[in-house]
Every structure is written in structure tokens, then in C-alpha cells.
Amino acid sequence: MNIFLHELKAYRKSTMIWSISLILVVVLFMSLFPAFTKDVTEFKKLLEGYPEPVRKALGMDLNTLFSILGFYCYALTFITLCAAIQAMNLGTSIVSKEVREKTADFLLTKPVTRSTIITAKLLAALVSLVITNVIYFAAASFMAFQVKTEDFSFQTFFLLSLTILFIQLMFLAMGIIISVSVPKIKSVLSVSLSTVFAFYFLGVIGSTTDDEAKRYISPFKYFDTSYIMEKSSYEVSFLIVGVVLIILAIAASYRVYSKKDIHAV
């Protein structure tokens, strides 16, 4: 419990910074919605000038873009990118920071098992992400009700917002396995940014085609916002694959960390 509270306290500042950052992004996008819908015809003509693959890559569906939920889906393209970086940062630093700060051997001399250590760290990171999402969702909901031009399904809005947390969990798990596998990570931010942007651009490239299989490559494409808006649910196959990948990555992290050699300072 002491490790959990210590980690949670250590994440306090970054949690607030990322929460505020996500709020600023959603406020910026949603505040543009009233102006965006003032002249729908002109905006449609402008956007139709862009090639369809480009519109797909940017998450622009002209059939729904001018509704509050459709515009929110477009904003999510960028919001999830920022959220994924936060999660990847947390995951990558879970174990690597002990090696980098030369406190790993000190921590392991305490009367706790390695599984207890990584569990406490993982729970602290998870709580940090949940807090961020709760704060973000409150702000996003407030903005949606402020700028809406017609009624919308709050259930669908909630499901769309919840995709942020699901994507974060996948990158958190990915960060953890990297953290316990790589002997020493000099810069967490550089690893996080390169990994997140690599998957983001893979998702962008995959979205320009109609090949469903390519969607499995990038976590950013596991949740089709058009499908969520139409069905008010997630695609079961992608949800199952996402959960399995998270479980496998975390299980592998426990196994690797339990057998990992920790060099003394």
C-alpha cells in the first residue's frame, strides 16, 4: 500500500497536467463547433475538395461531421493521440525510472515481492488514468451541452469518450512490457512519442484502405466512431482482441520482471 500511495503521489503532478491538457484540447475543438455549423454548405464544398483517403485519415465523415457527435468524433482523433502519450509515458516509466534513478536495488531490498511492487505501480498508473478520464469527461460533457445545436444521445457520447480510456490501457500495457524488457531507458518521452506516433501513422495509413485486417495493427483504429454512432456499441471482435492484448502484455511483464536481473548501484 505504501508503494501504491508513493507512486500515486509521484504521478499527481503529471496527472493534473495531462488532465488540463486534454480539457484545453476538447474546449478548443468544441468551441469551434458553432462557427463550423453556421455555413454547412460552404464547409461541405471545401471539405469535398480533399481526397476521400485524406478525409478518412482525419476522421472526417461528411454525413455526420456537422452534428455534435460527428464533430466530437473528429476531435477525438487528436484527443486520443494526446491521451495515448500520457498512458505510454506512465507504462514506460513504471520500472525504468527505478533503474534510471538508481533506486531499483534499494526498492527490492524491502520485504515485498516483485509482483507486489509491479502490482502497486500498475494500480497507481491505472488510478491516474481513471482520474484523468473522469475530469476530461466532465469537461467534455459540459462543452457538448453548451455548444449543441440539437439533442444528441448522451449514451453514445459516453461510449465515444470511453474509447480514450480503452486506448490508454493498451498503450499502458505496451509501455509496461517495454519498461521491464529494455535494460535501461534513457528517455521515457522519446520512447513514448516514437511508439505512439508510429502506431498513429500506421492507423492513418490503414484507414485509407478498406482492409479490415489492417485495423488490428493500430490501437487507434480498434474503435470505429462511425460504427459506435450507428450502433451505440463497440465492435466485439476488436474489443476482445484489445482485452486479450492487454492481458498478455501485463502477464508477460510480470513474468519478465520476476526473472529480471537488477544490477546494484
Side-chain angles (χ1 to χ4, degrees):
M1 181 59 71
N2 288 336
I3 297 175
F4 169 75
L5 294 176
H6 174 77
E7 292 296 313
L8 197 59
K9 184 179 180 180
Y11 295 145
R12 181 176 56 188
K13 184 178 179 180
S14 67
T15 300
M16 293 310 300
I17 290 174
W18 280 107
S19 298
I20 293 171
S21 300
L22 292 182
I23 289 173
L24 290 176
V25 175
V26 74
V27 168
L28 173 63
F29 272 98
M30 300 306 281
S31 62
L32 295 175
F33 180 69
F36 196 73
T37 54
K38 276 186 178 179
D39 198 342
V40 175
T41 305
E42 288 300 320
F43 269 112
K44 272 191 175 181
K45 287 182 180 179
L46 176 64
L47 295 175
E48 284 171 353
Y50 289 91
E52 186 176 353
V54 174
R55 294 201 303 268
K56 284 185 177 180
L58 295 175
M60 292 181 175
D61 185 347
L62 296 184
N63 296 320
T64 60
L65 185 61
F66 298 93
S67 66
I68 185 68
L69 291 179
F71 191 78
Y72 183 58
C73 290
Y74 168 62
L76 280 177
T77 304
F78 304 95
I79 294 170
T80 52
L81 177 62
C82 298
I85 295 173
Q86 177 197 12
M88 192 70 193
N89 264 333
L90 285 173
T92 309
S93 65
I94 277 182
V95 173
S96 65
K97 71 175 183 178
E98 304 295 345
V99 176
R100 192 170 56 256
E101 296 172 4
K102 300 179 180 180
T103 58
D105 55 336
F106 171 76
L107 179 62
L108 294 176
T109 59
K110 299 298 180 182
V112 290
T113 62
R114 292 192 180 192
S115 61
T116 300
I117 293 173
I118 197 170
T119 298
K121 287 174 171 287
L122 178 59
L123 287 175
L126 181 59
V127 170
S128 176
L129 293 181
V130 171
I131 291 173
T132 298
N133 277 269
V134 169
I135 295 173
Y136 163 81
F137 181 68
S141 301
F142 174 78
M143 285 301 300
F145 281 108
Q146 291 299 309
V147 303
K148 69 172 184 175
T149 55
E150 57 185 17
D151 291 336
F152 63 93
S153 170
F154 189 71
Q155 178 186 351
T156 303
F157 183 84
F158 174 74
L159 290 175
L160 288 169
S161 300
L162 194 59
T163 61
I164 297 174
L165 179 59
F166 286 141
I167 291 172
Q168 283 185 317
L169 292 178
M170 283 187 272
F171 278 101
L172 176 67
M174 199 182 305
I176 294 171
I177 190 65
I178 292 175
S179 182
V180 299
S181 301
V182 178
K184 186 176 182 179
I185 298 177
K186 294 183 179 180
S187 174
V188 169
L189 185 60
S190 61
V191 172
S192 300
L193 289 176
S194 58
T195 304
V196 171
F197 276 105
F199 279 104
Y200 180 78
F201 285 116
L202 283 174
V204 169
I205 295 171
S207 64
T208 60
T209 67
D210 294 324
D211 189 352
E212 284 290 304
K214 290 183 179 179
R215 289 180 55 199
Y216 287 98
I217 299 174
S218 173
F220 288 106
K221 296 302 175 182
Y222 275 42
F223 301 94
D224 185 357
T225 54
S226 298
Y227 181 91
I228 296 172
M229 286 183 62
E230 181 182 351
K231 306 289 187 180
S232 289
S233 64
Y234 301 129
E235 293 172 275
V236 177
S237 59
F238 285 93
L239 193 60
I240 292 174
V241 171
V243 171
V244 170
L245 290 177
I246 291 170
I247 293 173
L248 289 178
I250 292 177
S253 300
Y254 272 88
R255 182 172 179 80
V256 172
Y257 189 63
S258 65
K259 298 179 179 296
K260 184 177 181 179
D261 291 329
I262 306 296
H263 299 287
V265 177

